[in-house]
């Protein structure tokens, strides 16, 4: 998975993610606006420092980084240092104010935001063997053919026992995705912050609803595909979000708390100012997509604060 995604000639080394799948960033500029609002809250919590960092993990082509800069008021944008963290080459035409780097900057003070990053952090897959013990699933790179390998042991076995026990019901074809490497990746990312807030947004699940057959799959040209680690496609697996340190909420709740709601504008506005009504209606439609139950609104947001002042910046609304 590591080689297929990030090795020489790997999928994310050569492909533009937006050409293969659509995220909340691509769905509407309202998403970048909500992240900009969260960055402003972090700024207030940190006492309006002379320099404020925005770190965009797994930045793709820099769409979110550029969108957040565009959404900030000029007075705040002048103090913000934007870091797009990505392993691929810097895209042409990106705002020169956006720094392009392979790793998050150490000692950042501000907001680290990881939209659909952790689902692409490579991880091992386990399945029960004939003896009932969990074994690693080995994969042939050329065609994705699988076989059972060595017995899962050590820290991986302890992680399975704690977070995704394979013995808990289901048939012999059940699988688990061992998220220990993702925990480590998230802790390293959070450790880059000297103060502020780290947020991960992703497909995810919790212990109450682990998928019995796992979630590892491929995406290519906008379509789901059998996961073959040959470098021709995105490889992704949902994230065991409750195994990560932080507070969980849904995207629907988080965006509502940040002011994004899909409420239809009053019809009276159509008579008073038809262009304004159409703009408001378009924004409401986009907001509804970002917060839809059964869709993007079900994404999970994990907030990990570095410093007490940033611990409660994604308060859910009092009423839905």
């Amino acid at each position: 998975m590591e080689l297929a995604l990030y090795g020489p000639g790997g999928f994310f080394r050569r492909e533009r993610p937006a050409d293969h799948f659509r995220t909340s960033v691509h769905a509407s500029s309202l998403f970048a606006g909500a992240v900009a609002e969260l960055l402003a809250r972090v700024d207030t919590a940190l006492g309006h420092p002379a320099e404020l960092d925005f770190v965009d993990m797994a930045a793709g082509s820099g769409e979110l980084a550029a969108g957040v800069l565009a959404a900030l008021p000029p007075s705040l944008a002048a103090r913000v240092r934007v870091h797009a963290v990505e392993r691929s080459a810097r895209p042409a035409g990106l705002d020169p104010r956006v720094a392009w780097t392979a790793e998050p900057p150490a000692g950042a003070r501000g907001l680290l935001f990881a939209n659909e990053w952790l689902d692409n952090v490579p991880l091992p897959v386990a399945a029960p063997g004939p003896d009932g013990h969990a074994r690693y699933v080995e994969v042939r790179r050329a065609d994705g053919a699988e076989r059972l390998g060595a017995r899962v042991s050590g820290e991986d076995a302890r992680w399975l026992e704690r977070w995704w026990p394979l013995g808990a019901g289901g048939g012999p074809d059940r699988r688990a995705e061992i998220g220990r490497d993702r925990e480590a990746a998230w802790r390293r990312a959070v450790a880059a912050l000297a103060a502020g807030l780290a947020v991960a947004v992703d497909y995810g699940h919790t212990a109450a609803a682990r998928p019995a057959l796992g979630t590892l799959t491929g995406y290519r040209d906008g379509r789901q595909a059998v996961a073959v680690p040959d470098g021709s496609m995105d490889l992704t697996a949902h994230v065991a979000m409750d195994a990560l340190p932080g507070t969980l909420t849904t995207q629907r709740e988080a965006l509502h708390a940040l002011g994004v709601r899909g409420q239809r504008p009053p019809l009276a506005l159509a008579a008073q100012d038809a262009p304004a009504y159409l703009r408001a209606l378009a924004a409401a439609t986009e907001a509804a997509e970002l917060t839809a139950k059964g869709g993007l609104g079900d994404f999970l947001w994990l907030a990990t604060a570095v410093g007490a002042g940033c611990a409660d910046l994604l308060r859910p609304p009092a009423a839905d």
Side-chain angles (χ1 to χ4, degrees), residues 24-25 28-41 63-64 66-73 111 255 258-260 290 301:
S24 297
V25 176
S28 172
S29 61
L30 293 175
F31 190 81
V35 177
E37 166 61 23
L38 182 56
L39 179 60
R41 294 185 184 186
E63 297 96 336
L64 180 61
V68 168
L69 264 176
L72 292 173
L111 173 64
L255 290 183
L258 294 169
V260 176
L290 289 173
W301 285 44

Side-chain angles (χ1 to χ4, degrees), residues 86-97:
E86 185 57 78
R87 297 203 208 181
S88 61
R90 182 186 181 96
L94 183 63
D95 191 313
R97 293 175 293 175

